[in-house]
Amino acid sequence: MYDSVIQDLIDELGRLPGIGPKSAQRIAFHLLDADPEDVRRFASVLTEVKATVHFCATCGNVTVDPECRICADPRRDATVLCVVEESKDVVAIERTREFRGRYHVLGGAISPIAGIGPDQLRIKELLGRLQDGVVTEVIIATDPNLEGEATATYLIRMLSTLGVAVSKLASGLPVGGDLEYADELTLGRAFEGRTSIPQAAAPG
Amino acid sequence: MYDSVIQDLIDELGRLPGIGPKSAQRIAFHLLDADPEDVRRFASVLTEVKATVHFCATCGNVTVDPECRICADPRRDATVLCVVEESKDVVAIERTREFRGRYHVLGGAISPIAGIGPDQLRIKELLGRLQDGVVTEVIIATDPNLEGEATATYLIRMLSTLGVAVSKLASGLPVGGDLEYADELTLGRAFEGRTSIPQAAAPG
């Protein structure tokens, strides 16, 4: 229907996650209409990103430097390690400004359906980082879904013999949400993980 | 938060129509993980599309050839011209296989809010194509929205003095839809444009 190079562009766009055929066509025509300089810049960023971005040798986060900015930052607490699935989880946690330790990016989660077992994840590298005894606490921050929970369970079992403190992010009601709209699993977790309120001293 | 080239990629993706910040981030990480060869091909299609695609000198459709495939096809009926807003409208109409004439792509619609008047559209070129008397019918197929209707009204007035037959695509109920879900404007148009059914001869 289209000239082949236009169809090629629509096809390439349609391969991106979350972009259906209609969106791909819409974006393609947007690019056809766009300033050639803008499209050239987009193409060169694509090329540059693949040429310069790699995974941090220490934590597995994406970086353009030999070591990522967090691993290279001496002000970050080297005794606490937060284990996440993906680099974007690092960004999400950094945004909270709650965590001053370092990260370990697994590169995914255990998923028998997708054929991903512990060997496909950066778990060997995690064990390597725990050898010298500097790290005293590991916080597991995998996704709160089936694969993430399976990965957390695997890691908790593996880490239990190493003498480091292990914790896992709290499950519960999302802040700003309505209790009535919470699914039963989330609500169940919120009950399980309820926090006790210290009693105030009796007045008088 | 991200290394600058990753942020650049997220920003470039976020500029595409219909891609919000979350999708841009998701696509960026997909591209970071993707086979370098796939990303290289994507970048080169982007570059190629801008280098090779231009507008057909005759009809304004996108093409890689001097003249688009429809204008260059001698089997297409040169006496009927279908006027559309955008190249993607040509593709949509071609898909119906109902139309064997040629097209004229305006490059948009009249929109005072967006500052687009008749002079920004390929209307002069349309009049030029009607000079030699080959075209005897013009079908107006602008979008059934405010801007498209304004453009259609403008074109109908302009073409009325030229001695060509002018028609406009029917408005009415979309095929496969439910009458109860049609908005009142569409339903109103469906009444206005109702088609009379020839009476069957009385049996006897």
Side-chain angles (χ1 to χ4, degrees), chain A residues 84-103:
Chain A
V84 296
E85 292 180 20
E86 308 280 0
S87 290
K88 51 192 169 212
D89 302 326
V90 172
V91 176
I93 294 172
E94 285 294 286
R95 243 185 244 127
T96 68
R97 300 175 184 275
E98 287 282 337
F99 180 66
R100 298 302 303 161
R102 300 193 173 175
Y103 292 94

Side-chain angles (χ1 to χ4, degrees), chain B residues 57-59 81 83 103-106 118-119 121-136 138 140 151 154-164 166:
Chain B
T58 307
C59 74
L81 217 54
V83 179
Y103 292 94
H104 190 81
V105 180
L106 295 172
D119 293 347
L121 304 176
R122 298 181 70 260
I123 290 178
K124 209 166 67 244
E125 288 83 346
L126 173 62
L127 290 177
R129 294 180 75 181
L130 302 176
Q131 292 305 316
D132 60 7
V134 172
V135 175
T136 56
V138 174
I140 297 174
T151 310
Y154 180 91
L155 291 175
I156 288 167
R157 193 173 305 157
M158 196 191 70
L159 297 173
S160 64
T161 60
L162 299 183
V164 290
V166 178

Side-chain angles (χ1 to χ4, degrees), chain B residues 39-54:
Chain B
V39 178
R40 196 205 53 72
R41 205 182 52 235
F42 182 22
S44 80
V45 165
L46 274 173
T47 311
E48 198 195 339
V49 110
K50 293 305 278 191
T52 60
V53 176
H54 55 266

Side-chain angles (χ1 to χ4, degrees), chain A residues 86 106-123 147 150-151:
Chain A
E86 308 280 0
L106 294 171
I110 294 172
S111 168
I113 292 168
I116 300 174
D119 293 347
Q120 274 88 59
L121 304 176
R122 297 181 69 260
I123 290 178
E147 291 81 13
T151 310

Side-chain angles (χ1 to χ4, degrees), chain A residues 1-3 5 12 17 19 25 29-32 34 39 41 50 62-64 69 87-88 91 95, chain B residues 1-3 5-6 12 17 19 25 29-32 34 39 41 45 50 63-64 69 87-88 91 95:
Chain A
M1 201 69 95
Y2 290 106
D3 282 313
V5 64
E12 289 292 339
I19 310 263
Q25 183 181 294
F29 277 100
H30 166 87
L31 291 168
L32 285 171
V39 178
R41 205 182 51 234
K50 293 307 277 191
V62 286
T63 176
V64 294
R69 286 190 292 179
S87 290
K88 51 192 169 212
V91 176
R95 243 185 244 127
Chain B
M1 201 69 95
Y2 290 107
D3 282 313
V5 63
I6 304 178
E12 289 293 338
I19 309 264
Q25 181 181 295
F29 277 100
H30 166 86
L31 291 168
L32 284 171
V39 178
R41 205 182 52 235
V45 165
K50 293 305 278 191
T63 176
V64 294
R69 285 189 292 180
S87 290
K88 50 192 167 211
V91 177
R95 244 184 244 126

